[in-house]
Amino acid sequence: MVRTRFAPSPTGYLHVGGARTALFNWLFTRKERGKFVLRMEDTDLERSSIEYEKLIIEAMRWLGLLWDEGPDVGGEYGPYRQSERKKAGIYDRYAKELIDMKKAVYVVYDKEDRKKELFETFDYPEEYVQKGHDITIKFKMPKGVKIKFHDLAKGDMEFLSDDIGDFIIMKSNGFPTYNFAVVVDDHLMEITHVFRGDDHLSNTPKQLAIYESFGWKAPVFMHIPLILGKDKSPLSKRHGATSVDHFRQEGYLPEGLLNYLALLGWRVEEGKEIFNIFEKIEEFETSLISNKNVVFDYEKLEWVNGKHLRLIDIENLCYRFRDYLMYLNMNELVDLLDKDKPYSMEVISICREKVNTMKQLLDISMPFFIENFEYEERYIEDYLKKDFAAPIIERALEMFRKSADWTVEGCEKVMRNLAAEKIASKKKTFQTIRGAILGKLVTPGLFISISVLGKDRVLRRLEKALDLARSVKN
């Protein structure tokens, strides 16, 4: 059976690069009807925390990349936290086994210069431990050996053991190093395939040497090209936000983010870039993963997300918009949505055509739901303070009070008749009314916005804007 794993370090939020690695592992596993394992590599004592672990788990669940075994759901290959595996003595046992095979040694360090090695020994240096010397365990790299393996993305790879040298597998604090722990864990958890970032390629020969020393079968490797910023350096905070949590807060949809992350390396047919990742499982092939580094394009991500936003049926979108507001703890606005669901659906329906994210949807739809919205400064300066503002709004009030037709066509007729009176240009007329009823100069279509708001809201807002226009007039 295929068994893969995603093994983040809980030292921060889930990075989009890690999310993409998890995605490719998950896609491959689901296609092969295997098991997907979540394992926490929490041996960095200073930086790891249970809070970050919870955030990573929450981010993975939000994305929908659910796992079969892990620290929260258990499984027959646990524990699934390296710190717990350390407490169980797993790494000590296998490190001692390497020493007994003369393939690893204890290293004793100077008490004053803790980086200076005094000597190596196969016998546990109890006397030096009692005197307070630091002790590590170092793996002895075999000499003159060619380490070969086939990488699913890069093809046949070869490293010389002499270019690598000996390396530490157990630190002086008693915790395993990454290269040792990952081998022991992957072997004991029977991991068959390891898909990870290109930056781990240099670790692979070290890990393969450990596999060889134990006589264990190594997993199949695929090293995925890195995600870069626009300056072609690895994507980091200096390029902009990089955490899954940030994109969730900004109102990106999980399917939109996953779709874009899949495109960062997965070659798909031209014209078929927009897809639901959960419907593409059977089409996933490792041979379609590019071997070239890819640049993270924030604008394209937003474009992809916008496509998904407009593909969702309106009832589902309203439900998910409500969830997004609850995630932001905007419970009062949730109550307003729930108060008049048909109205809410109309508002969301016309607003989503103008936006690409839930946050943008919130921003553009807010004035439809609240009466005490603020007017944009640009609207006040360029329109409300002008001599034409009050006469336009006053005349609009008269015409809309008399109007019995609040369809989109009826509202358009009133507005065009108002513009025909030439109190100001058509643009100034339309923008004056747009800002008066919604406080913004960029909104859904003016006629449909008036129609959706309805008579009572429109008249109430025009009256409020008229009072303000008279008070702020230049």
Side-chain angles (χ1 to χ4, degrees), residues 259 263 268-275 300 303-304 308:
N259 185 169
L263 295 175
V268 297
E269 289 183 47
E270 189 174 344
K272 294 186 177 181
E273 288 185 313
I274 305 303
F275 52 82
K300 184 167 183 180
W303 175 81
V304 169
H308 281 276

Side-chain angles (χ1 to χ4, degrees), residues 182-210:
V182 75
V183 170
V184 172
D185 291 343
D186 284 348
H187 170 71
L188 294 180
M189 293 183 182
E190 298 185 12
I191 301 301
T192 61
H193 294 74
V194 172
F195 299 170
R196 58 190 181 185
D198 213 5
D199 50 334
H200 283 291
L201 183 62
S202 60
N203 290 320
T204 309
K206 295 179 182 180
Q207 294 167 15
L208 288 172
I210 297 174

Side-chain angles (χ1 to χ4, degrees), residues 48-231:
S48 294
S49 74
I50 194 68
E51 288 76 19
Y52 279 129
E53 177 184 308
K54 290 177 180 176
L55 288 171
I56 290 171
I57 286 175
E58 184 180 350
M60 288 283 287
R61 288 194 182 283
W62 177 73
L63 288 170
L65 302 180
L66 303 183
W67 47 98
D68 304 295
E69 303 170 25
D72 58 330
V73 298
E76 60 182 296
Y77 294 85
Y80 294 93
R81 294 184 185 92
Q82 285 187 339
S83 57
E84 294 175 1
R85 297 173 72 77
K86 158 63 182 161
K87 288 179 183 177
I90 292 173
Y91 308 115
D92 291 328
R93 182 165 71 251
Y94 285 99
K96 182 64 167 61
E97 192 172 320
L98 285 174
I99 291 172
D100 291 343
M101 292 189 292
K102 306 295 192 227
K103 293 181 179 181
V105 294
Y106 295 106
V107 181
V108 179
Y109 295 82
D110 187 88
K111 286 181 66 175
E112 303 301 324
D113 182 358
R114 293 183 178 273
K115 292 184 179 180
K116 181 180 178 182
E117 296 183 12
L118 295 180
F119 63 91
E120 299 176 352
T121 176
F122 291 116
D123 299 316
Y124 184 68
E126 179 67 38
E127 178 184 348
Y128 287 87
V129 172
Q130 295 299 326
K131 290 179 179 179
H133 289 262
D134 284 343
I135 310 295
T136 66
I137 298 177
K138 185 177 285 188
F139 181 79
K140 303 297 288 183
M141 201 70 176
K143 305 299 181 184
V145 174
K146 291 182 179 179
I147 300 174
K148 301 178 180 180
F149 70 98
H150 180 79
D151 187 283
L152 292 180
K154 298 182 174 300
D156 293 330
M157 305 295 296
E158 181 178 303
F159 295 84
L160 296 176
S161 62
D162 294 348
D163 294 336
I164 298 169
D166 302 342
F167 56 93
I168 293 171
I169 59 173
M170 294 293 287
K171 295 179 281 189
S172 59
N173 63 3
F175 276 78
T177 59
Y178 165 75
N179 281 314
F180 183 56
V182 75
V183 170
V184 172
D185 291 343
D186 284 348
H187 170 71
L188 294 180
M189 293 183 182
E190 298 185 12
I191 301 301
T192 61
H193 294 74
V194 172
F195 299 170
R196 58 190 181 185
D198 213 5
D199 50 334
H200 283 291
L201 183 62
S202 60
N203 290 320
T204 309
K206 295 179 182 180
Q207 294 167 15
L208 288 172
I210 297 174
Y211 276 109
E212 181 66 26
S213 293
F214 281 115
W216 294 341
K217 181 181 179 181
V220 176
F221 289 99
M222 182 170 74
H223 290 87
I224 304 164
L226 296 180
I227 300 177
L228 308 178
K230 286 189 175 181
D231 61 357

